[in-house]
Amino acid sequence: QAHLVESGGGVVQPGGSLTLSCTASGFIFSAYRMSWYRQAPGKERELVAQINKGATDLNYQDSVKGRFSISRDDAKNTTSLQMNNVKPEDTAMYYCRASGRLYGRTHGYWGQGTQVTVSS
């Protein structure tokens, strides 16, 4: 069974830093694109950052560029989101997503979500 298990969420003060981690199992991690999404109450789930297989292509939502950094360690089946200079608007449930393609169709798995609250 495929699983994505997240950790690292919590409460952090504005301007602080937090690192989210996602550990995968049950599938060939290195072959999947990894993404971080977030969803605040009453809002749509949005893509925050993503990294392709091989870590040759990274992209970020404009609002987090220069502050967040996504990485992956295929040897450990993990992806991380380093969050620096966090802002109150970063408060959301953060989800790890693994995406792959089979016969032209995208499939994937979601993590359980981890709450990030930016508050003084």
Side-chain angles (χ1 to χ4, degrees), residues 79-118:
T79 185
S80 297
L81 184 69
Q82 177 66 51
M83 306 168 62
N84 297 322
N85 190 27
V86 296
K87 303 176 180 180
E89 52 263 42
D90 294 324
T91 296
M93 185 73 73
Y94 283 72
Y95 298 91
C96 180
R97 169 74 170 175
S99 300
R101 191 175 66 185
L102 184 63
Y103 302 119
R105 297 183 179 182
T106 298
H107 71 280
Y109 314 101
W110 288 102
Q112 79 281 5
T114 185
Q115 179 67 39
V116 173
T117 301
V118 182

Side-chain angles (χ1 to χ4, degrees), residues 1-119:
Q1 295 180 337
H3 288 283
L4 297 172
V5 181
E6 301 177 8
S7 62
V11 179
V12 61
Q13 295 183 343
S17 298
L18 199 67
T19 301
L20 306 183
S21 297
C22 172
T23 300
S25 62
F27 63 99
I28 304 175
F29 178 84
S30 61
Y32 282 71
R33 179 180 66 193
M34 300 302 302
S35 303
W36 287 93
Y37 288 76
R38 67 186 181 188
Q39 186 170 26
K43 297 185 178 181
E44 298 287 333
R45 186 173 298 187
E46 62 181 1
L47 177 66
V48 178
Q50 65 182 33
I51 182 170
N52 72 324
K53 61 180 182 180
T56 58
D57 186 24
L58 291 71
N59 68 81
Y60 301 89
Q61 182 191 107
D62 286 344
S63 66
V64 308
K65 287 182 178 178
R67 299 189 299 118
F68 291 8
S69 179
I70 189 171
S71 62
R72 66 189 298 157
D73 187 341
D74 289 349
K76 298 181 179 179
N77 285 5
T78 61
T79 185
S80 297
L81 184 69
Q82 177 66 51
M83 306 168 62
N84 297 322
N85 190 27
V86 296
K87 303 176 180 180
E89 52 263 42
D90 294 324
T91 296
M93 185 73 73
Y94 283 72
Y95 298 91
C96 180
R97 169 74 170 175
S99 300
R101 191 175 66 185
L102 184 63
Y103 302 119
R105 297 183 179 182
T106 298
H107 71 280
Y109 314 101
W110 288 102
Q112 79 281 5
T114 185
Q115 179 67 39
V116 173
T117 301
V118 182
S119 176

